[in-house]
Amino acid sequence: MMDVLYFAWVRERIGLPREKIDTQAATVMELIVELRGREERYEMAFGDLESLRVALDQELADFDAPLAGVREVAFFPPMTGG
Amino acid sequence: MRVCVQAEPFDLGAESNAFAAGVAGAGAVVTFTGLVRDNGGALAAMEIEHYPGMTEKAIAAMVEQAMARWSLADALVIHRYGQLAGRDPIMMVATASRHRADAFAAAEFLMDYLKSRAPFWKKELSAEGAEWVAARDEDEAALKRW
């Protein structure tokens, strides 16, 4: 079981700020593929990987990063701070 | 160092003065302040979302990197989230060093990293509706110089 968080337009497209997901996905990319297969709203959020970023336990990560031991995954668009 | 992620407004003058007063031995203080662009009056409000927990950690890591890289007496980052109006201060960075070159360079480094690596997302609200501000390629490219 892991917490999956969504921010900004990823959150708006999926319609949830966070959810618990029971998954066997070994990497971030496997989790994305699994979510995209669920429902249209996930496909809308994850359709363009160029404009998607991911953090694992609050550290930026790559899509090929392993999920073993990870408790919190967050998906969001490129950041616009400052 | 001090990192504040807050919804409340901050007093730029009071923060700058307190920062400068607290850095013994420093001969240079650089401050930068980011304001909400009002787009010629078209902006009704700006909403800033962030990732509580990660935001504070990511900014603290940037400040630690800056302190390790330049000779700094101290550094301060304040960044707001929530609903802001046009012309409101969004954030400020202050750096202090013995001579000005370190303070200037560290402030620019922190600004470049805050733009693209601190988990904030801005949304502009206007009469035409709401729109997420897109990340700029120039901001991502700016990280390469460090």
Side-chain angles (χ1 to χ4, degrees), chain A residues 11-12 58 72 77 80 82, chain B residues 49 51 57 120-121 123 132:
Chain A
R11 171 179 55 74
E12 290 180 341
Q58 306 191 351
E72 185 173 294
T80 52
Chain B
E49 183 172 335
Y51 183 173
K57 279 200 273 186
F120 290 100
W121 300 276
K123 191 183 211 179
W132 290 102

Side-chain angles (χ1 to χ4, degrees), chain A residues 6 8-18 41-42 45:
Chain A
Y6 309 112
W9 54 252
V10 177
R11 171 179 55 74
E12 290 180 341
R13 288 179 193 180
I14 292 173
L16 286 175
R18 65 191 300 152
R41 57 196 172 108
Y42 290 93

Side-chain angles (χ1 to χ4, degrees), chain A residues 46-63:
Chain A
F46 296 136
D48 175 17
L49 294 181
E50 284 281 300
S51 51
L52 191 69
R53 301 289 181 271
V54 64
L56 301 180
D57 288 331
Q58 306 191 351
E59 298 268 357
L60 284 174
D62 295 321
F63 292 137

Side-chain angles (χ1 to χ4, degrees), chain B residues 38-62:
Chain B
D38 67 357
N39 300 335
L43 184 96
M46 174 175 275
E47 268 177 23
I48 303 178
E49 183 172 335
H50 82 115
Y51 183 173
M54 179 172 169
T55 311
E56 295 80 357
K57 279 200 273 186
I59 298 175
M62 288 168 205

Side-chain angles (χ1 to χ4, degrees), chain B residues 76-139:
Chain B
L76 162 71
V77 176
I78 301 175
H79 203 303
R80 294 183 62 195
Y81 61 87
Q83 187 148 325
L84 281 72
R87 311 296 303 152
D88 276 357
I90 301 178
M91 52 82 60
M92 71 173 286
V93 160
T95 52
S97 57
R98 187 163 174 80
H99 298 287
R100 70 180 184 280
D102 288 286
F104 269 121
E108 283 217 79
F109 168 89
L110 287 171
M111 280 314 305
D112 284 348
Y113 271 82
L114 283 162
K115 279 268 167 207
S116 315
R117 292 291 182 273
F120 290 100
W121 300 276
K122 297 190 183 111
K123 191 183 211 179
E124 290 181 341
L125 312 180
S126 70
E128 271 105 75
E131 197 166 348
W132 290 102
V133 174
R136 298 162 69 234
D137 291 340
E138 299 92 300
D139 289 336

